[in-house]
Every structure is written in C-alpha cells, then in structure tokens.
C-alpha cells in the first residue's frame, strides 16, 4: 500500500471524527441553552439524551446501515451511515456535558449578564460558551476514543456478497488484514498512531488551556478547601492535571449556594408540565426504536412467508442467545468496574504516577482496539487454542469489549475521586478507616454519580464491542473469529450470509428488550444517584 | 412608623430615587418570604438593610433588581415603574461575579458593549478601574488578583454601567477582615464621587459595625413573613470612628432590634 494513500485515508477518518465532534459541540451549545431556558424543552431533551445514551444503537448497526444504503443509495448512503455511527458514538456524552456545565454556572455570573442586558448572543458569547469550555475539553476525550473504536465497522460493511466501503483508514486496515498483508497493517497502524497521538496531545493542551483560562479559580474561591490542605497535598495539587482542576471546580459548583435561580424556576413550573415534557422526550427515543422495528418489519416483509414461520419458531432460542450476550455485557462491565476502581483510586492518590501515566492512558484508550486486534488475534490464537481450547473465543471477545469500554468508567471514577473533598480523605486517615470500609462507605458513594454516568456508557459500548467481536469474518487472512452462541453474531452473520430476515427479526426482539431495559433500569439508576447521593444538581456535575 | 434616631434631629431628605410599594415574594403559597415591603432611597443616600439570616434580604435585593419578579407590589425608579433588569439598577454580588476568562479591563468593559464605541468603553473602564484604586491591573485576570481586588473590579463594573442605584448584597463578606476594612474605608467616597451618576446605594449586611460606618439610614427586616420592623437614621458625621461612644450606641440599637423579642431585657 502506498504511504500517501494511507496518510490520506487517516486524514479522512480523523477528519470525519473531528468534524462530527465539532458539529456535536456547536449544536450542543444551542440545545443546552434552550434546555436551560425552557423547562418544557429541557424535559424532552434530557429524557431523550439519557435514553439514547443507554440504547446501544451500534447493536442495530446492520439494520441502520441497510436503511441508509437502501434509502440513500451507494456511496452517499455508506458515507452517511458511517457519519451516523460516528455521530452516535460521540454526541450524547458531549451534549450531556454541556447541559450540565450550563446548569452549574454560578448564579452571580448569570445575574450579571441579566443585570446589564447582555442579550441572547451576548450571554452565549461572554458567559455560556466560555463557561462550558473546561467541560467540553474533557468530554471530547472519551468521545474521540469511542468514535475511533467503531472506525472499522462504520467504514466497511457487507450485506450478502455486496461490500460497501467508505474511504478511510478503517477500510484500508480491513483490506490489509483480510489478505494477511502484515506490512500494510503495520504501516496503517503506524500512521493512525501518529494521528491519534497528535490529536490526543492537541486535546490535552486545549484542556489545560481551557481549565486554566475558563475554569473558576477554585483554590482561592473555596476557602474551606485551601485552609485545611497539608503542604505536600497543595504541592501536587499545583501541578495537577486539568482534569483534576476540573473535578475541583465541579465540586465547587455542588457545594456552592449558587442555585437559587434554578431552584426558583423549578418551583415556578408546574408538575404536569414537567411530566408532559418527559413523556414527549421518552416518546421521541421510542420513535427511534419503533423506526428500528419498522425497518426490521420492512425487511422481513421482503422475505418469503415460509421463512417467517421458522423465525418465530427460533424466537426462544434467539432470546436465549440475547441472554448470553447480557451475561457477557455484565461480565465485561464488572471487570471494567473493578479495574477502573482499583486503577482509578491508585492513580488518584498517587499523583506523581498519574501525572506521568494519564496522557499515556488517554492515548492508548483513543487508539482503536479493533484496528490492532487482528494482530493480537493472529499472534495469540494458536497459543490460546492450545492452552484453553474451550474458552478461546470468549477470551478474545472479552478482551476486545474491555479495551473498548473500560476507559469510560475509569475516567468517570477518576474525576470523581479527585472531586472528593479532602476532608473526607483526611477523616479516613484520622480515624484509621480500613481500605474496604473506606471504599464501600466513602469513596464509592461519593463517586456514585460519576460511576453511574460512566457505567451506562460502559454498558452501552460493551454492546458495541460484542457487535464487533462476536462475528468477525476474515479477521486475519481467511480466519474467522466467531462465538458459538450470541445474538450479535446472529445479526451480523445473518447479514453477511444474506439471511437478512433473521437479522431483522432478531433486531426487532432486541429493540423491544432494550426499550424496556432502558426504562426500568437505567433511568432508575440515574434517579437513585440523583436522589440519594448528591445534593442539588450534583448529578449534573458528574 | 417613625424613623428612629439617637438625637431626634430630622433634616429634609432629597428627591426619591428607588421606591418599592407593598412588595411581597413567596416561593409557594405556603411559603411567603416577605410582604408589605415599602422602602425608599433618596439622593446621595446609602441605605442599609439588616435582618436575621434567612429573612429574605437577598431575595428582596434580587426583586429590587428585577432579576426575579415579585409576587405582589411594584418597584419604581424616579417615579417610573421598572419591570425588567436594567443596568440603571446594578447589583454587586458577594462573590465570584467576575468572569474568570476576561481581564479586569474586559470584565468592566463588558457592560458597555453595544452601548458606546470601543475606545470610549476602554476609556470609561480605565477611569473606573482607577477610581477603585486598581490602575496598573487592567490586564490582570481575576485569578491573578486577590478577593478584595476582584470585588473592586465588580464595583468598577457596576459603576461603569453608570447606574442610578447600586444594590450590594454582603459585598465584603468573603473578604478577610483587613481587606474588608480597607475597602469599607474607601467605598463611600468611591460611590459618591461626583463623577458618577450614582444616586443611592442599598447595602445588605450582617456586620452592624459596617452598617453604622457606612449607612445614612437602616431598614431592619424581621418576622415571618418578613416585614420592615424598624427604620433607623444614622446621624453621624463622616468619617465615622468606631472608638466614639455614639457609634457604639447605634450598633447596640441595631443589635436590640435583631435579637428575638422574648430575650430582650
Ligand atoms: N429556591 C428556594 N426555594 C424555597 N425557598 C427558598 C429558596 N431560596 C431561598 N429560600 C428561602 O427564602 C428565605 C430567604 O432567603 P434569602 O437568601 O433571601 O435570605 P437572606 O436574608 O439573604 O439570608 P442570609 O442573611 O443568610 O443571606 C430563606 O428562608 C430560604 O429558606
Ligand atoms: Mg443573603
């Protein structure tokens, strides 16, 4: 492969991601502004974003792609489908962050802008947008990483014997790995790595700059923090990373008494108003699921009658396969959680190590696992097949899911730990509270809102990981990675082998289950986090 | 209700500046914060509002600035009713009201945008910064300044908007005692500098020494729902010295108004 082409493809892929990040940020400013101005819109918007954040849209990938490709046709359809997937991977996180930032603007600053009649654009330009920079700058890390994770499945896609490709580095890597052209794979990964490092560094600098310039000066404003800090703590605090300062400033928002105005608006709007808004937001999210259902049915209608009967007959089996996938998601989530909590806690209390290793962790987490995974597979598959032949594929699936998901809960937890008031930690030292009690009684509850946000994203991307890993034809040369049982495999394999009807029926079942799950589980967990563990708008600071 | 003073003297007051009639505010029907509030400020007057914590002073200040609408009553400025926020009634907060991402000059200039030309805005802003004693700090960011300096910037900003009325909600409470004292010493001459168009100031404070040092007249808020329970004229020449016995008499008088009735001697 020519280096020029590789560079161009990398630019195309990264450009696509960056452009969509930009689009998310700009649209998020406006949407968030409307959300904080109109209670009605706020309810719709937040329910919508919350539900979408917890729906694994990526799980419906095949159907979504079929809709775009048949709807828009050829090249354009493939490009829009790729953009749609990337957008879905990045947007929710950024939108929620901006909304939360807008909600936590100190009341005095808002009053100044009203007192002197800044006007709509004046408020945006001089207050809301600048205030959101620190938050946005820290949210683009996971968004960027998530978008890159799907770079291959969003760029290359085959239905039956037809294969659709959007131009980009993901496509090149898929081509090279499927013919076992190692040199080209290395070249692609090398060039991509350069791109990822450059962008991560740029994001890191933006984040530092944003917090330094746009963050509130907490060290002087939260007097109670400064006063009790021992000298060595203050020292590593001074060299602390932007994320840490960011964490402090969100805590400040939580502990501040600045919420009079929002509390007032809250009282002024009537309850029924609120409820209507929530219903509308939920309805919009459901519309998406209905759309998936409709598309699935459309696809099924094109399939002969006799096949339907066989799909219906397979339903119990499909539900069983879905159950297996839920177990996989659960296992990956638990592993990520334990890993994130231990590593996050370790790094949070060992500042020196964290300052050195954080940029490295950020870069690694942004480097798309599926891109280098075939190499890991090729290198270890024969060995694993020999040692544990029964669990070989399971281990690969777990590794890939883990690589794609852990950083969400990790970064969330890490920010949360550093936002814990130092008094809490001093208390644990003072009274010699043991490690497990400290974790269970203080650290986990104090970081709970952060963990919930991180966990729901983790669960969501775990599904994405399964979509990639359960069925991967030609992962390396003519080898195929596939699990024995798994719903994601049924969907992907169904499409690749031209059994579109089965894929559609499975997606439909999944859509129904996910809808129910998101309503009974995710929302309740969020509410719990909100009610029990945070004062006021703390959840928005998470 | 008669205005209380120590020596009973009463001089004629100037023109009415800010006036509110029968002002009331409640968060809900069952939670009335204050009602029947009638206060007036006159030309070149600094009026203080004191009252126990939680009586609703901050809420009243925000209603006067039209940042929140009253449940009942009206606010008048020079006889005209005001219903929307306006820089003619400027509010100075107790903390973090400077924009961290703007230099002090920009923080002051922000209230002049779209109102005067940029050069003129710069000129006015520089003048106000000088007035609050911060010349040379025009290009500093709030983070690079002390709490007292930031508070001066907030005051300079409020003055740059050339308000008729300035509302101050515990403006010195977040400052250390030394800084607060210095600023208290300067504030009266800054506010009533002949170059300003400022006509009167309403100051909310918990610090009775501060009130006696600065105020011409004091409204005492109290009760549930809160009302104005007393009005005291501080008839002392300036500069006022804390060491003087009469200064302390005024402090004691205010203190008596603020302690719960049953424990009064
Ligand atoms: N958002 C709100 N919803 C309901 N009640 C509120 C809200 N904000 C304030 N209050 C109540 O209004 C009352 C007045 O509050 P306010 O802050 O105006 O008092 P204050 O006199 O300024 O007190 P302080 O001297 O402590 O500053 C308080 O009793 C408080 O409980
Ligand atoms: Mg108050």
């Amino acid at each position: 492969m020519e280096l020029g082409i590789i560079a161009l493809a990398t630019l195309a892929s990264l450009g696509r991601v960056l452009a969509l990040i930009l689009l998310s940020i700009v649209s998020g400013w406006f949407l968030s502004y409307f959300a904080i101005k109109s209670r009605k819109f706020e309810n719709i918007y937040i329910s919508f974003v919350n539900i979408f954040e917890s729906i694994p849209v990526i799980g419906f990938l095949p159907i979504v792609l079929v809709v775009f490709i048949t709807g828009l046709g050829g090249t354009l359809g493939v490009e829009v489908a790729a953009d749609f997937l990337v957008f879905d991977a990045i947007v929710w996180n950024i939108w929620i962050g901006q909304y939360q930032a807008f909600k936590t603007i100190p009341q005095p600053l808002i009053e100044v802008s009203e007192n002197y009649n800044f006007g709509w654009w004046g408020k945006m330009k001089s207050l809301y947008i600048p205030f959101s920079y620190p938050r946005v700058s820290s949210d683009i890390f996971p968004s960027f990483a998530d978008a890159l994770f799907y770079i291959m499945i969003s760029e290359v896609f085959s239905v039956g014997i037809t294969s659709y490709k959007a131009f980009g580095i993901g496509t090149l890597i898929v081509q090279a790995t499927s013919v076992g052209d190692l040199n080209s794979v290395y070249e692609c990964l090398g060039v991509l790595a350069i791109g990822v490092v450059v962008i991560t560094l740029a994001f890191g600098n933006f984040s530092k700059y944003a917090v330094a310039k746009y963050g509130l000066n907490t060290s002087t404003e939260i007097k109670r923090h400064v006063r009790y800090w021992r000298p060595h703590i203050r020292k590593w605090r001074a060299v602390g990373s932007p994320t840490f300062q960011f964490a402090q400033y969100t805590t400040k928002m939580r502990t501040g008494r600045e919420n009079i105005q929002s509390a007032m608006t809250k009282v002024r709007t009537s309850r029924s108003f609120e409820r209507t808004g929530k219903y509308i937001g939920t309805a919009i999210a459901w519309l998406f699921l209905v759309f998936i259902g409709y598309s699935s049915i459309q696809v099924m209608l094109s399939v002969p009658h006799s096949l339907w009967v066989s799909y219906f007959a397979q339903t119990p089996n499909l539900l069983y396969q879905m159950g297996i996938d839920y177990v996989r998601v659960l296992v990956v989530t638990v592993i990520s959680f334990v890993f994130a909590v231990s590593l996050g806690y370790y790094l949070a209390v060992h500042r020196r190590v964290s300052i050195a290793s954080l940029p490295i962790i950020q870069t690694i987490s942004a480097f798309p696992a599926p891109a280098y995974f075939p190499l890991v597979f090729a290198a270890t598959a024969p060995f694993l097949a020999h040692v544990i032949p029964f669990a070989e594929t399971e281990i690969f699936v777990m590794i890939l899911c883990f690589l794609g998901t852990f950083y969400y809960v990790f970064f969330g937890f890490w920010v949360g730990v550093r936002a814990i008031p130092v008094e809490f930690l001093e208390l644990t030292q003072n009274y010699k509270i043991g490690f497990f009690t400290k974790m269970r009684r203080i650290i986990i509850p104090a970081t709970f809102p952060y963990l919930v946000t991180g966990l729901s994203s983790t669960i969501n991307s775990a599904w994405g990981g399964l979509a990639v890993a359960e069925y991967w034809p030609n992962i390396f040369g003519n080898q195929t990675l596939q699990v024995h049982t798994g719903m994601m495999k049924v969907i992907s394999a169904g499409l690749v082998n031209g059994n579109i009807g089965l894929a559609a029926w499975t997606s439909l079942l999944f859509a129904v289950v996910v809808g129910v799950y998101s309503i009974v589980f995710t929302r309740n967990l969020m509410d719990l986090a909100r009610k029990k563990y945070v004062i006021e708008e703390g959840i928005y600071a998470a | 209700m008669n205005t209380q003073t120590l020596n009973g003297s009463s001089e004629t007051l100037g023109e009415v500046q800010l006036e509110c009639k029968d002002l009331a505010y409640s968060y809900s029907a069952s939670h009335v914060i204050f009602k029947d509030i009638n206060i007036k400020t006159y030309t070149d007057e600094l009026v203080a509002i004191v009252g126990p914590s939680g009586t609703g002073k901050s809420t009243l200040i925000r209603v006067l600035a039209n940042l929140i609408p009253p449940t009942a009553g009206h606010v008048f400025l020079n006889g005209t009713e005001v219903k929307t926020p306006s820089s003619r009634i400027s509010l100075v907060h107790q903390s973090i009201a400077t924009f961290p991402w703007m230099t002090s000059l920009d923080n002051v200039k922000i209230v002049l945008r779209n109102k005067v030309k940029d050069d003129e805005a710069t000129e006015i802003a520089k003048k106000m910064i000088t007035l609050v004693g911060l010349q040379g700090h025009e290009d500093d960011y709030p983070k690079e300044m002390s709490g007292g300096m930031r508070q001066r910037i907030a005051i300079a900003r409020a003055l740059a908007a050339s308000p008729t009325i300035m509302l101050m909600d515990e403006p010195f409470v977040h400052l250390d005692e030394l800084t607060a004292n210095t600023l208290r010493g300067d504030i009266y001459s800054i506010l009533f500098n002949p170059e300003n168009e400022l006509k009167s100031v309403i100051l909310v404070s918990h610090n009775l020494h501060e009130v006696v040092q600065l105020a011409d007249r004091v409204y005492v808020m109290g009760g549930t729902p809160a009302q104005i329970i007393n009005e005291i004229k501080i008839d002392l020449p300036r500069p006022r010295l804390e060491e003087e016995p009469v200064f302390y008499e005024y402090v004691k008088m205010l203190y008596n108004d603020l302690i719960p009735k049953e424990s009064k001697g």
Side-chain angles (χ1 to χ4, degrees):
Chain A
M1 246 180 251
E2 264 182 58
L3 218 53
I5 300 283
I6 297 178
L8 211 60
T10 307
L11 284 180
S13 294
L14 295 179
R16 185 181 287 132
V17 173
L18 291 181
L20 288 167
I21 287 181
L22 200 66
L23 178 70
S24 309
I25 294 174
V26 173
S27 54
W29 278 327
F30 292 99
L31 290 167
S32 307
Y33 187 79
F34 293 131
I36 58 163
K37 287 297 159 193
S38 151
R39 193 76 196 161
K40 208 193 261 179
F41 180 71
E42 179 178 35
N43 280 318
I44 299 174
Y45 180 64
I46 292 312
S47 313
F48 174 76
V49 175
N50 271 343
I51 292 182
F52 259 89
E53 228 203 341
S54 62
I55 294 178
V57 173
I58 210 82
F60 304 113
L61 165 74
I63 292 301
V64 169
L65 293 193
V66 166
V67 169
F68 278 115
I69 290 165
T70 53
L72 290 168
T75 327
L76 181 65
V78 177
E79 180 59 42
V80 174
D83 293 343
F84 176 83
L85 284 176
V86 171
F87 191 66
D88 174 71
I90 58 185
V91 72
W92 314 116
N93 177 42
I94 291 177
W95 280 1
I96 284 271
Q98 289 170 311
Y99 164 77
Q100 290 169 350
F102 280 14
K103 282 290 260 198
T104 48
I105 295 181
Q107 195 55 31
L109 293 182
I110 295 176
E111 287 181 354
V112 167
S113 75
E114 281 173 9
N115 201 165
Y116 301 107
N117 308 115
F118 279 21
W120 176 78
W121 180 237
K123 277 184 200 167
M124 274 307 250
K125 204 177 78 172
S126 312
L127 177 59
Y128 288 90
I129 291 179
F131 190 84
S132 70
Y133 279 141
R135 181 64 198 252
V136 167
S137 73
S138 82
D139 281 345
I140 52 181
F141 278 109
S143 282
F144 179 64
D146 204 24
L148 283 191
F149 187 84
Y150 299 120
I151 195 165
M152 317 200 16
I153 55 170
S154 60
E155 287 179 11
V156 187
F157 170 65
S158 32
V159 186
I161 48 161
T162 330
S163 163
Y164 301 92
K165 297 185 180 75
F167 180 65
I169 192 72
T171 303
L172 294 193
I173 293 175
V174 170
Q175 280 170 351
T177 42
S178 63
V179 296
D181 178 359
L182 272 183
N183 281 340
S184 297
V185 176
Y186 289 139
E187 280 168 15
C188 289
L189 290 180
V191 174
L192 180 61
I194 295 171
V196 169
V197 169
V198 168
I199 291 179
T200 314
L201 283 179
F203 282 178
N205 283 329
F206 171 52
S207 180
K208 267 192 206 124
Y209 170 79
V211 172
K213 177 151 189 198
Y214 298 98
L216 295 175
N217 186 11
T218 48
S219 52
T220 51
E221 261 145 15
I222 324 180
K223 290 241 169 64
R224 60 183 204 93
H225 273 193
V226 177
R227 215 175 298 139
Y228 302 111
W229 284 50
R230 280 161 291 145
H232 74 275
I233 305 183
R234 207 174 302 138
K235 207 161 90 209
W236 39 246
R237 193 163 175 253
V239 288
S241 74
T243 322
F244 177 40
Q245 292 171 27
F246 165 72
Q248 287 178 294
Y249 109 99
T250 47
T251 326
K252 154 75 187 139
M253 299 296 93
R254 257 196 293 169
T255 49
R257 275 187 56 197
E258 329 285 1
N259 284 316
I260 313 174
Q261 186 78 43
S262 60
M264 284 177 180
T265 12
K266 218 170 274 166
V267 174
R268 261 189 256 145
T269 32
S270 76
R271 301 255 180 267
S272 66
F273 214 51
E274 247 170 70
R275 233 178 292 128
T276 325
K278 272 193 193 121
Y279 288 144
I280 298 177
T282 312
I284 294 176
W286 271 92
L287 270 183
F288 175 79
L289 292 177
V290 170
F291 166 71
I292 293 290
Y294 170 78
S295 313
S296 312
I297 291 166
Q298 278 298 97
V299 173
M300 285 175 70
L301 286 180
S302 63
V303 171
H305 244 205
S306 54
L307 280 178
W308 289 22
V309 183
S310 95
Y311 299 153
F312 294 146
Q314 286 185 50
T315 302
N317 176 32
L318 290 174
L319 289 175
Y320 166 72
Q321 307 223 29
M322 196 190 299
I324 296 289
D325 276 358
Y326 266 103
V327 172
R328 288 196 180 104
V329 167
L330 185 73
V331 171
V332 172
T333 306
V334 168
I335 294 174
S336 303
F337 181 81
V338 171
F339 182 81
V341 168
S342 339
L343 183 67
Y345 182 73
Y346 178 81
L347 287 182
V349 296
H350 294 83
R351 316 282 156 136
R352 224 182 284 269
V353 186
S354 82
I355 289 159
S357 56
L358 209 75
I360 300 173
I361 298 179
Q362 274 168 337
T363 312
I364 292 176
S365 64
F367 195 72
Y372 60 81
F373 192 71
L375 297 180
V376 176
F377 175 84
T380 58
F383 170 73
L384 273 182
H386 191 71
V387 187
I388 32 164
F390 48 92
E392 178 206 351
T393 41
E394 259 344 293
I395 288 182
F396 282 123
V397 171
M398 289 296 147
I399 292 174
L400 187 63
C401 278
F402 175 77
L403 289 174
T405 59
F406 87 91
Y407 53 87
Y408 273 116
V409 65
F410 168 75
F411 285 124
F413 179 73
W414 190 80
V415 170
V417 169
R418 309 203 75 168
I420 296 177
V422 74
E423 288 89 336
F424 286 11
L425 300 177
E426 287 175 347
L427 209 74
T428 64
Q429 290 174 337
N430 207 173
Y431 299 108
K432 303 240 176 320
I433 297 172
F435 178 77
F436 283 103
T437 318
K438 178 162 75 181
M439 276 292 178
R440 208 161 65 86
R441 300 275 174 214
I442 295 167
I443 310 287
I444 306 276
T447 51
F448 196 69
Y450 298 86
L451 282 173
V452 170
T453 323
L455 272 178
S456 77
S457 308
T458 294
I459 292 171
N460 199 348
S461 7
W463 282 106
L466 290 185
V468 179
E470 283 194 2
Y471 184 72
W472 193 335
N474 305 330
I475 178 170
F476 195 79
N478 52 12
Q479 283 172 288
T480 293
L481 174 66
Q482 58 178 317
V483 293
H484 184 261
T485 322
M487 180 193 62
M488 283 301 167
K489 177 192 166 188
V490 175
I491 297 179
S492 322
L495 268 131
V496 172
N497 305 328
N499 196 351
I500 298 178
L502 181 63
W505 174 237
T506 316
S507 295
L508 186 63
L509 289 177
F510 188 42
V512 172
V513 172
V514 159
V516 171
Y517 161 92
S518 96
I519 281 172
V520 300
F521 181 68
T522 320
R523 301 273 304 157
N524 286 343
L525 199 59
M526 288 299 242
D527 285 347
L528 176 71
R530 209 184 319 249
K531 280 199 198 98
K532 182 146 183 212
Y533 294 98
V534 255
I535 332 114
E536 281 274 277
E537 325 261 75
I539 186 81
Y540 301 126
Chain B
M1 176 178 54
N2 293 317
T3 307
Q4 212 177 326
T5 62
L6 273 183
N7 54 18
S9 88
S10 78
E11 60 183 276
T12 46
L13 296 159
E15 206 180 320
V16 177
Q17 294 295 335
L18 188 75
E19 178 175 15
C20 67
K21 283 189 182 146
D22 305 325
L23 223 48
Y25 189 83
S26 34
Y27 283 104
S28 62
S30 59
H31 192 182
V32 180
I33 305 296
F34 55 76
K35 61 169 199 187
D36 303 331
I37 301 283
N38 289 291
I39 62 181
K40 277 183 192 165
T41 72
Y42 299 91
T43 309
D44 286 339
E45 199 187 28
L46 196 152
V47 174
I49 298 176
V50 298
S53 183
T55 21
K57 304 180 297 294
S58 299
T59 313
L60 175 61
I61 282 275
R62 279 169 181 77
V63 170
L64 290 175
N66 289 290
L67 291 168
I68 49 178
T71 340
H74 308 272
V75 179
F76 300 90
L77 179 61
N78 301 129
T80 319
E81 179 160 14
V82 256
K83 288 186 160 170
T84 53
S86 139
S87 49
R88 293 194 60 204
I89 306 176
S90 290
L91 174 61
V92 175
H93 295 86
Q94 56 184 34
S95 67
I96 39 171
T98 44
F99 297 96
W101 46 85
M102 298 178 192
T103 61
S104 24
L105 188 70
D106 288 337
N107 256 296
V108 177
K109 270 172 73 178
I110 186 85
V111 301
L112 298 164
R113 41 180 284 151
N114 305 333
K115 290 185 185 120
V116 298
K117 281 206 224 74
D118 192 61
D119 312 354
E120 205 183 326
T122 309
E123 201 180 302
I124 297 174
K126 280 188 171 157
K127 202 174 89 186
M128 293 307 160
I129 291 176
T130 307
L131 187 64
V132 297
L134 286 181
Q135 59 276 42
H137 293 280
E138 286 85 354
D139 295 328
D140 290 0
Y141 284 92
K143 282 168 220 228
E144 299 160 355
M145 299 191 290
S146 71
M149 290 159 87
R150 264 180 278 165
Q151 198 58 294
R152 283 166 192 260
I153 289 299
I155 292 166
R157 179 176 59 200
L159 290 173
S162 60
T164 312
I165 308 294
M166 188 133 99
L167 308 171
M168 305 175 103
D169 188 2
E170 305 186 45
F172 310 121
V173 75
H174 274 354
L175 306 182
D176 65 89
E177 203 35 46
L178 210 64
T179 314
N181 255 330
T182 321
L183 202 48
R184 270 179 216 127
D186 298 348
I187 195 78
Y188 195 87
S189 54
I190 291 174
L191 294 176
F192 294 103
N193 187 300
E195 298 202 27
N196 298 328
E197 288 170 34
L198 192 64
K199 291 292 188 291
S200 45
V201 176
I202 296 184
L203 169 76
V204 165
S205 176
H206 273 133
N207 185 324
L208 300 182
H209 286 259
E210 175 175 306
V211 167
V212 175
Q213 189 184 350
L214 294 175
D216 295 300
R217 216 149 38 84
V218 184
Y219 287 108
V220 182
M221 268 175 98
T224 2
Q227 283 173 294
I228 302 292
I229 52 170
N230 200 0
E231 186 186 334
I232 296 167
K233 191 164 168 18
I234 313 245
D235 218 353
L236 287 176
R238 292 169 199 271
R240 296 166 176 175
L241 298 172
E242 288 204 34
E243 294 79 35
E244 286 175 19
V246 58
F247 188 103
Y248 189 67
E249 289 285 302
Y250 273 112
V251 172
K252 220 166 70 185
M253 194 160 128
L254 286 171
Y255 183 76
N256 276 334
D257 270 332
L258 290 176
I259 53 173
K261 290 273 183 277
E262 47 272 37
S263 57
K264 250 188 199 178

